[in-house]
Amino acid sequence: MLTTEDFTHFPLQMWEKVLSKVKKAVVFMDDRCAEALHWNGGAAALLEAGARNLKQFSSFEACTVNEPKAVFVVSTLLKGTTVDIIKDIISLSHFQYCVVFTTVAHSVHLLANNVTAEMEGTPVFEQFEEKLCEWMGNMNYTAEVMHVPVVFAPVSQQLVILPPFAQLFPLLSPDLHTINAKRPEKKRFGSLGDLDIRSLPAELQIEIKSLASALNSMFEATSTREESFAVGPMSRLIAGELANHPQAKNRRKTAPNKASIIFVDRTMDLTGAVGHHGDNLVEKILTVLRPLPGHVTDVQVDMLELTSLQRTPDSQNTLAPGCLAQTQPSAARSLWEAMLTSKYKESVMEVRRQLVEAASKEKLPIKMSMGRVTPEQLCSYVQLFRSRWGALESHCGVLQLGLATSQTLRHPGLPRWDACLAFERLLLQALGDSDFPAVLRQLLPLMKPRGGEDSSSSGSRLGEDECGPDELILLLVYLYSLADEAPPGDQDTEAEELEKLERELIGALTLVITRETELSPLLQKLTGCANPEELTTERAHSAVEKMFETLGGLIHTRDNLKQLRSVYTASDGVHQATYRPFLRQILEEVFHPDRLECPDIEHMSGGLTDLLKTGFSMFMKVTRPHPSDNPLLFLFLVGGVTPSELRLIKEIVTTHKPGTQVLVLSTRLLRPTDIPELLFSTQRLAPDIGV
C-alpha cells in the first residue's frame, strides 16, 4: 500500500532525470525551479552529480570557451521571453551540447500554439532542438529538449508545495467583472461558480492545465487512481482539468493504488490566513525574517553569531545567509518537522533541547538553565560552536533553526503580532453584537501615521506594538472576510453607511501610507512604487480605492456554499465568540463516522458515470464516492496553507481517523502578508508563463 512517503520521494525522482544530464555542464535555472530544487537537496545535489556551476537564468549570464555544455531548467513555456534569454546565453557562449528541461508539458505547448489536434511525438520540442543547434552555430551539435515536472518541493513529511504556481490564487468578484466586460451581454456569467476553463484568459488556462498535468505526472508515477473533490470555483476548474486529462482517463482504468484528493479554494477562509491566532513558531519566523532572494517560502537567517566578524552595515553582504530548509534525514529535519506542527511554546523548548543536546555531543562547556527560553539563552548556546568547524558542519541544520528562532524572539516587529491578535479578538467579539459598519468603524482610530500626530517625523516608529499600514491592511482583510457573519441590519441604511465609512477609511489609510519613510514589500506591490519619493498622494489613493473594491468581494466568497457557509461562532453569554477554521469543518465532514454526504464537497472524477448516478439517485439509493473511501487523502489548498493549519490537520486526523494517511499539497506556505499581496495582485488573471 502506498504511503505519503512515496509521494514526498516523487519530487526527488523527477530531479534525478535532470541530475543525469548535468555532468560537466553549467546549469542555468530560473527562480521558481531553483526554489523547488532548494527543498530537494539544493545546489549541492547538482554539484555532486558533476555540474560545473549553477547560474541564474538571465540574459546577462554566459560561459567561457572551456565550458561547452549547458543545461537549462525553466518553469515556463518555451516561448517569448524564455526563448529570448536562452538565445542570448547561447549567443554569448561557445556551447556544443545544450539540454533544455521545461516543467510545462508538450500538450500544453500545443495549446499555447493554438494546436488542438492530437499529434504524435513532440514536434514543438523537436523544432526547438533545431533552433538550439542554429544558435550554437552548427547543426551537428547536440540539443535535447524535454518535459520534466520538477515543480514539487517537499517542505516536510506532511507538506509538498509547488513553487512555480505560487502566484496562482482563486478568482474574486472584480475578476468576474473583468471577464464579463469582454463578453456579449447575453453570455455574461452570473457568478464565479459559472465560469468554465475556456472563459478564462489564455495565460490562466495554461497555468491551470500545467498544474493538472503536473498532478497527473505524480499520480502516473505512483500508479494511483484518484477520486477528485472540489470546494470553490477555482478548485472546481483544476479538479475538472485533472479529471479530463487525456492520460488520466487511461491511468484510472488500470492503476492499482487509490487515493482521494480534495481541492479547496483559499478564499473560502481568508480569516485563518491573515489572522494572528496561530500558536506556531514557524508562522512567526516567516513573518518577521526577510525572504531568501528569489524565494517565496524560505527566509534568510543571519549567521554572524557563528563567526568572528564584527557587525557592520556591510557584514550582511559578506556572509551567506542560513535558511530553514532541511532536506536530509537528521536531528535538524526532525526539529523542523516539530517546529512546523507543534505549539509555539513546545517548539521553542524543543529548539533549546536540540541545541543543548548538540553541544553535549561535542562536549562543549554548556551552562544549563531551566524556565523560560530567551533569545539571549539560545544565542549563547549557538556561540559555543563558533570557529569549531567540525562541530559546525555536524550540527549546521540545528544551528540555523536555533538562530532563526532567537532572531525571531528578539525581532522588533514581534510585539505587533500580539497587538494584532488582541485587536482581532476584540473585533471577533464585537461582530456578534453589531452590524458590519459599526465593527469596521473600530478600525478608524487605528488609522494614524506611525509615531503619533505630534511627531515631527510622522513615519518614525515610536511604539513597537503600534500598527503600521501592513497590519492595518491585514485587519481589513480579516474583518471583510468575516463581514457576512455580522447580524444583518436595514439593507439600504447599512449599504449607505458602509459606503460613507469606506470613503473615510480610504482617506485615512492613504495618509498613513504616504507618511511612511520606508515602503514595506507589501506597500511596494500595492502601490507599484519602490520608495516613498516615487509615491504621490494620488497614486496611493488610487491603490487604496482598488484595494477596497477587492475587499468588498470578500464578503460573498462563501455565498455559493449550502452547508459550510460560516467560520464564526457567536458568543452565547457563557463562551466567547470564536473563529471556526474552514479546514476543520471540511475534515470533520470527511471523517464523520456516519459517512455523511456534504453538498459543498463536490465529486469531480465521475464524468458520465457520475451523471447517471445522479439521475438514478432520484428513484433509488446510489452510493457515491466519498473522500474517506480511500486510505490516502490529499488536501490541495489553492492559494496557500499556513503552518497553523498543518498542525490543525494533524490534530484532527489523529483524533478522528488515526489510520488515515494525509498529505497536504499547496501552491505555497503562507505568511499573513502574502494574502494581501495575492488579493490585490494585478496578475491573478494573467500569470507569468514566460510569454
Side-chain angles (χ1 to χ4, degrees), residues 313-330:
D314 300 319
S315 59
Q316 281 188 327
N317 299 325
T318 309
L319 196 64
C323 63
L324 301 176
Q326 305 300 326
T327 57
Q328 301 302 321
S330 61

Side-chain angles (χ1 to χ4, degrees), residues 462-473:
L462 298 183
E464 285 187 345
D465 60 350
E466 201 172 7
C467 284
D470 284 18
E471 289 78 27
L472 294 171
I473 291 168

Side-chain angles (χ1 to χ4, degrees), residues 551-572:
L551 287 171
L554 303 186
I555 299 172
H556 306 292
T557 53
R558 290 186 294 274
D559 279 3
N560 288 336
L561 301 184
K562 294 168 186 170
Q563 183 178 327
L564 308 175
R565 295 193 62 162
S566 174
V567 292
Y568 176 77
T569 304
S571 170
D572 58 5

Side-chain angles (χ1 to χ4, degrees), residues 101-298:
F101 290 101
T102 172
T103 65
V104 182
H106 186 265
S107 58
V108 181
H109 276 84
L110 289 175
L111 175 76
N113 288 290
N114 300 313
V115 178
T116 51
E118 286 188 26
M119 302 181 78
E120 286 186 15
T122 55
V124 177
F125 292 171
E126 288 161 18
Q127 285 173 18
F128 198 69
E129 286 172 358
E130 289 180 13
K131 282 185 181 178
L132 291 171
C133 289
E134 277 178 36
W135 298 335
M136 285 189 282
N138 189 329
M139 297 307 288
N140 292 320
Y141 285 165
T142 308
E144 296 176 73
V145 178
M146 59 195 87
H147 160 242
V148 179
V150 285
V151 299
F152 299 93
V155 172
S156 76
Q157 291 173 352
Q158 189 190 352
L159 173 68
V160 175
I161 61 170
L162 293 85
F165 301 97
Q167 301 306 317
L168 183 65
F169 198 73
L171 299 181
L172 300 159
S173 300
D175 302 319
L176 181 64
H177 302 322
T178 304
I179 291 168
N180 277 337
K182 296 175 183 176
R183 297 176 67 84
E185 197 167 335
K186 290 182 180 177
K187 293 188 176 181
R188 288 180 180 173
F189 299 102
S191 72
L192 289 168
D194 299 330
L195 293 174
D196 57 50
I197 189 82
R198 290 181 299 278
S199 64
L200 302 177
E203 298 93 337
L204 188 54
Q205 285 188 47
I206 286 166
E207 187 93 334
I208 290 171
K209 286 177 182 289
S210 296
L211 175 56
S213 171
L215 292 170
N216 178 68
S217 299
M218 180 179 74
F219 291 130
E220 188 94 44
T222 52
S223 301
T224 303
R225 174 189 171 178
E226 84 287 357
E227 291 290 349
S228 295
F229 301 84
V231 186
M234 180 65 88
S235 290
R236 196 178 300 117
L237 291 173
I238 297 168
E241 275 304 304
L242 178 59
N244 295 319
H245 195 281
Q247 293 170 346
K249 291 176 182 177
N250 297 327
R251 166 174 51 77
R252 279 196 290 269
K253 289 175 186 173
T254 56
N257 303 305
K258 291 184 178 180
S260 299
I261 180 166
I262 307 175
F263 294 88
V264 183
D265 280 7
R266 177 74 264 178
T267 45
M268 295 295 106
D269 182 4
L270 293 173
T271 314
V274 297
H276 294 74
H277 44 253
D279 187 17
N280 185 278
L281 174 60
V282 173
E283 219 157 274
K284 293 182 178 180
I285 291 173
L286 295 178
T287 301
V288 301
L289 298 189
R290 291 186 303 163
L292 272 175
H295 287 240
V296 172
T297 297
D298 211 342

Side-chain angles (χ1 to χ4, degrees), residues 28 30 32 57-59 72-90 100-104 109 128 132 135 688-691:
F28 297 87
D30 68 20
R32 292 186 283 194
F57 183 66
S58 162
S59 294
F72 298 90
V73 187
V74 296
S75 60
T76 49
L77 286 166
L78 299 179
K79 287 188 76 175
T81 308
T82 302
V83 173
D84 293 340
I85 293 172
I86 293 174
K87 184 180 178 182
D88 289 343
I89 293 170
I90 293 174
V100 177
F101 290 101
T102 172
T103 65
V104 182
H109 276 84
F128 198 69
L132 291 171
W135 298 335
D688 178 16
I689 54 171
V691 177

Side-chain angles (χ1 to χ4, degrees), residues 418-572:
D418 296 328
C420 285
L421 175 59
F423 208 78
E424 284 162 10
R425 284 175 176 164
L426 287 172
L427 293 173
L428 211 56
Q429 303 314 313
L431 207 59
D433 305 323
S434 314
D435 59 18
F436 179 61
V439 182
L440 186 61
R441 186 169 288 281
Q442 295 188 31
L443 289 183
L444 206 50
L446 294 180
M447 300 235 176
K448 291 177 182 175
R450 281 196 274 203
E453 292 176 358
D454 300 323
S455 172
S456 56
S457 173
S458 298
S460 64
R461 304 178 186 198
L462 298 183
E464 285 187 345
D465 60 350
E466 201 172 7
C467 284
D470 284 18
E471 289 78 27
L472 294 171
I473 291 168
L474 287 174
L475 287 170
L476 281 166
V477 175
Y478 182 86
L479 204 44
Y480 271 88
S481 69
L482 289 167
D484 61 344
E485 309 282 2
D490 180 83
Q491 216 167 3
D492 293 337
T493 310
E494 197 173 302
E496 194 178 316
E497 191 182 340
L498 182 59
E499 191 181 338
K500 184 183 173 187
L501 176 58
E502 283 182 343
R503 283 199 298 270
E504 289 182 61
L505 289 166
I506 289 168
L509 188 54
T510 300
L511 181 63
V512 169
I513 292 171
T514 53
R515 294 287 183 88
E516 285 290 291
T517 55
E518 195 179 316
L519 297 183
S520 67
L522 172 57
L523 291 184
Q524 288 177 27
K525 288 187 180 174
L526 185 67
T527 61
C529 298
N531 54 62
E533 290 73 35
E534 292 177 39
L535 185 61
T536 62
T537 303
E538 291 76 17
R539 201 161 174 179
H541 192 271
S542 173
V544 175
E545 273 189 327
K546 285 178 186 170
M547 187 184 88
F548 270 85
E549 282 175 30
T550 303
L551 287 171
L554 303 186
I555 299 172
H556 306 292
T557 53
R558 290 186 294 274
D559 279 3
N560 288 336
L561 301 184
K562 294 168 186 170
Q563 183 178 327
L564 308 175
R565 295 193 62 162
S566 174
V567 292
Y568 176 77
T569 304
S571 170
D572 58 5

